[in-house]
């Protein structure tokens, strides 16, 4: 399993709720979370089949920015 981390613009509970359906329907994600207490709003994704670009594209489709760290 691979873990990706992204600096995002997902900065509150409402933002997390907005991105949740997009990440939940993405096949291959085992687990994900956003640390909204971190100044960089780090999204951590565990996957066994996706690459960073697929995750980044999904977050951007939900209306947020994501930059891999």
């Amino acid at each position: 399993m691979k873990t990706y981390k992204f600096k995002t613009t997902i900065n509150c509970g409402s933002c997390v709720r907005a991105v949740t359906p997009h990440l939940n329907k993405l096949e291959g994600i085992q687990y994900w979370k956003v640390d909204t207490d971190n100044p960089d709003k780090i999204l951590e994704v565990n996957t066994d089949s996706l690459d960073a670009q697929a995750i980044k594209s999904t977050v951007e489709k939900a209306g947020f920015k994501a930059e891999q760290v």
Side-chain angles (χ1 to χ4, degrees):
M1 184 170 306
K2 183 133 173 92
T3 300
Y4 294 103
K5 292 187 179 186
F6 299 87
K7 179 179 177 180
T8 72
T9 56
I10 303 168
N11 57 19
C12 66
S14 292
C15 297
V16 172
R17 282 191 293 280
V19 79
T20 294
H22 296 272
L23 289 173
N24 284 352
K25 75 178 180 183
L26 196 58
E27 298 269 336
I29 290 182
Q30 302 301 317
Y31 169 81
W32 68 270
K33 70 175 182 176
V34 179
D35 182 358
T36 56
D37 293 330
N38 184 308
D40 291 332
K41 313 302 180 199
I42 299 296
L43 166 65
E44 183 178 319
V45 178
N46 290 344
T47 179
D48 51 14
S49 60
L50 295 171
D51 63 10
Q53 186 57 47
I55 298 164
K56 180 180 177 183
S57 295
T58 300
V59 171
E60 290 173 349
K61 282 180 197 168
F64 302 96
K65 293 182 180 175
E67 179 183 324
Q68 189 174 4
V69 291

